[in-house]
Amino acid sequence: MKIAEKQDRASWLQSSPNRCAIVPHPDGWPWRLVLLGAPGAGKGTQAELLTARLTACHLSTGDVFRAAKNRGKDDQTPALVAALESMRRGALVPDEIVSDLVRERIDCLRCRGGFILDGFPRTLPQADLLKQLMEQEGLTLDAVVNYEMPLAEIVSRLSGRRTCERCKAIFHLTTKPPKVEGTCDACGGRLYQREDDSPDSVKVRLKVYDSSTAPLIQFYRDLGVLMPVTATGSPEEIYSRTIRALIARAPGRGIYQPS
Ligand code: AMP
């Protein structure tokens, strides 16, 4: 079956007016998901894997901020400079800035290819905004996947995480080491540790998660869309668990079977 090609995410990362080329999905698509879970629970890795099977676009607000950080200072508004400073400390970017950023990218929510939201919403006001935008567009969420993981494992995952500066592939010093130290297996790019994975920032991020993001679990449970998934084991195991849970939740929905 011919399905959508992987979207390039330029519209999401830069809020560019150019729409990405989407091949219309067959019946049963598109998927619209939110991924929840503490920092380090593996949302980014799972979003990448799920993108291939569900052929929906991976929309990460953290990636938008990181892309903005790499643009020159001249292209950064004062609000963005303040947002990037919050990010560096591991604190949340203020809701107003995140809301503006998502509103500017409303086309990505409307997209016929569907989406996998990773890192948004992160607070109750953001969850209200998403609900309101989706109602306004006549869209519904298929599921909110909550990746559950013990605290000790979260800390170990974050401190060992390394990211490719070129293709953004994610590695881990012990659980998914690159073949050559410091070098990406996929593209040969340099691997770096995210500034907000430093021990001080990790402490702040976990505290922020507990106070601001954890309440979203009840919010989505009340809406009947919460889908808990245990996030221990290898990325492939967690991914298979997620796919099985999605199939059980929505039998008959489109899931691409690689040949
Ligand atoms: P992430 O890659 O999702 O872990 O995000 C990295 C950082 O970007 C977070 O620690 C926050 O500083 C900022 N950030 C990303 N998404 C949001 C959001 N929805 N609300 C507030 N801050 C965010």
Side-chain angles (χ1 to χ4, degrees), residues 39-40 43 60-63 65-66 83-84 86-95 98 102 118-123 126 161 194 196-197 205 208:
K43 298 185 298 296
S60 148
T61 38
D63 282 351
F65 291 124
R66 280 183 285 278
L84 295 178
S86 305
M87 183 178 169
R88 202 187 55 73
R89 284 184 285 114
L92 288 187
V93 171
D95 282 338
V98 178
V102 172
D118 156 24
F120 174 84
R122 264 248 207 351
T123 63
Q126 292 180 19
R161 177 159 70 179
R194 279 170 40 169
D196 58 351
D197 280 347
R205 287 166 70 199
V208 164

Side-chain angles (χ1 to χ4, degrees), residues 13-112:
L13 292 179
Q14 286 145 29
S15 188
S16 93
N18 301 324
R19 308 278 296 274
C20 49
I22 307 274
V23 180
H25 283 77
D27 287 346
W29 268 276
W31 285 88
R32 296 189 177 91
L33 301 179
V34 167
L35 306 189
L36 287 185
K43 298 185 298 296
T45 305
Q46 292 305 314
E48 288 291 334
L49 294 169
L50 289 167
T51 296
R53 280 291 292 278
L54 307 181
T55 72
C57 209
H58 172 194
L59 306 182
S60 148
T61 38
D63 282 351
V64 173
F65 291 124
R66 280 183 285 278
K69 192 165 122 192
N70 294 335
R71 289 205 293 272
K73 283 258 184 266
D74 295 347
D75 287 344
Q76 295 174 1
T77 60
L80 186 59
V81 172
L84 295 178
E85 174 52 24
S86 305
M87 183 178 169
R88 202 187 55 73
R89 284 184 285 114
L92 288 187
V93 171
D95 282 338
E96 306 77 68
I97 296 179
V98 178
S99 300
D100 287 350
L101 178 148
V102 172
R103 282 180 200 281
E104 276 168 22
R105 290 161 174 79
I106 183 79
D107 277 350
C108 289
L109 298 186
R110 289 188 186 123
C111 176
R112 289 175 301 162

Side-chain angles (χ1 to χ4, degrees), residues 41-242:
K43 298 185 298 296
T45 305
Q46 292 305 314
E48 288 291 334
L49 294 169
L50 289 167
T51 296
R53 280 291 292 278
L54 307 181
T55 72
C57 209
H58 172 194
L59 306 182
S60 148
T61 38
D63 282 351
V64 173
F65 291 124
R66 280 183 285 278
K69 192 165 122 192
N70 294 335
R71 289 205 293 272
K73 283 258 184 266
D74 295 347
D75 287 344
Q76 295 174 1
T77 60
L80 186 59
V81 172
L84 295 178
E85 174 52 24
S86 305
M87 183 178 169
R88 202 187 55 73
R89 284 184 285 114
L92 288 187
V93 171
D95 282 338
E96 306 77 68
I97 296 179
V98 178
S99 300
D100 287 350
L101 178 148
V102 172
R103 282 180 200 281
E104 276 168 22
R105 290 161 174 79
I106 183 79
D107 277 350
C108 289
L109 298 186
R110 289 188 186 123
C111 176
R112 289 175 301 162
F115 55 76
I116 299 173
L117 277 170
D118 156 24
F120 174 84
R122 264 248 207 351
T123 63
L124 285 172
Q126 292 180 19
D128 276 330
L129 171 73
L130 178 64
K131 185 164 177 282
Q132 182 199 317
L133 291 176
M134 290 196 64
E135 280 169 3
Q136 177 186 309
E137 299 296 329
L139 303 171
T140 49
L141 283 175
D142 295 300
V144 173
V145 186
N146 183 33
Y147 286 110
E148 299 177 333
M149 168 172 275
L151 185 67
E153 193 158 337
I154 288 174
V155 173
S156 135
R157 278 209 186 183
L158 289 174
S159 53
R161 177 159 70 179
R162 297 292 181 273
T163 308
C164 172
E165 64 184 5
R166 203 184 296 160
C167 75
K168 311 293 169 228
I170 300 166
F171 294 84
H172 191 278
L173 295 184
T174 48
T175 58
K176 194 187 168 198
K179 291 195 186 90
V180 178
E181 199 187 321
T183 305
C184 175
D185 291 351
C187 75
R190 193 182 71 91
L191 301 184
Y192 73 103
Q193 181 175 38
R194 279 170 40 169
E195 220 170 13
D196 58 351
D197 280 347
S198 70
D200 281 350
S201 293
V202 166
K203 270 189 223 141
V204 176
R205 287 166 70 199
L206 289 175
K207 219 166 135 196
V208 164
Y209 170 78
D210 248 1
S211 60
S212 303
T213 311
L216 296 186
I217 296 170
Q218 191 58 41
F219 178 91
Y220 285 119
R221 190 179 287 129
D222 291 345
L223 291 177
V225 285
L226 193 76
M227 192 184 95
V229 171
T230 304
T232 49
S234 69
E236 289 71 24
E237 283 163 350
I238 302 164
Y239 166 61
S240 304
R241 224 173 270 148
T242 310

